[in-house]
Amino acid sequence: MTDHPQDLAPLRRRLAEFAAARHWQPYHTPKNLAAALSVEASELLEIFQWLTPEQSARVMTDPDTAHRVRDEVADVLAYLLQFCEVLDVDPAAALEAKIERNESRFPVPGEPEGRAPEG
């Protein structure tokens, strides 16, 4: 993993420019992008389909399999970012809001409901 998170905005712009240069916008509807995202997520799942939990934990140790995993992760992220672009969804803001809702819904055992542990 990297110590420096990458801003997604430049990647979103690059994907939009890539699609525009190829005149793909008519095909990049929310429905089509959601379907493509599902297909790519399934391709990622396929890599792990028959592995034991122990094998799946070691999947990145094999260079060929690791390459496939990275490619499928990239495909999933690319379609998710394009989906967000078309619907004007800020993926980081959506994730932050979801984490906050989950923190309220699923409090840490022993902590008062709806409150984050004090640090």
Side-chain angles (χ1 to χ4, degrees):
M1 289 216 314
T2 180
D3 292 334
H4 307 287
Q6 180 143 9
D7 181 11
L8 296 179
L11 293 173
R12 287 175 71 174
R13 280 192 302 276
R14 190 168 174 190
L15 285 166
E17 290 168 1
F18 181 89
R22 289 151 182 82
H23 308 287
W24 289 351
Q25 300 95 323
Y27 308 104
H28 283 190
T29 65
K31 179 195 78 69
N32 287 352
L33 291 169
L37 176 59
S38 177
V39 169
E40 295 302 337
S42 294
E43 289 178 5
L44 178 61
L45 176 60
E46 185 179 32
I47 296 168
F48 296 88
Q49 185 173 8
W50 303 113
L51 300 182
T52 65
E54 296 78 18
Q55 290 170 323
S56 69
R58 295 188 308 269
V59 75
M60 299 305 283
T61 61
D62 175 63
D64 290 335
T65 306
H67 177 74
R68 288 179 55 215
V69 168
R70 284 191 294 273
D71 275 357
E72 295 308 333
V73 166
D75 288 343
V76 168
L77 183 57
Y79 279 118
L80 179 59
L81 292 177
Q82 290 174 86
F83 179 83
C84 289
E85 187 72 22
V86 166
L87 292 179
D88 196 27
V89 172
D90 179 337
L95 179 56
E96 186 172 3
K98 181 66 175 187
I99 291 170
E100 288 173 6
R101 283 193 306 278
N102 283 344
E103 287 172 341
S104 293
R105 288 181 60 208
F106 306 104
V108 175
E111 293 291 327
E113 192 168 329
R115 288 191 56 215
E118 296 185 26

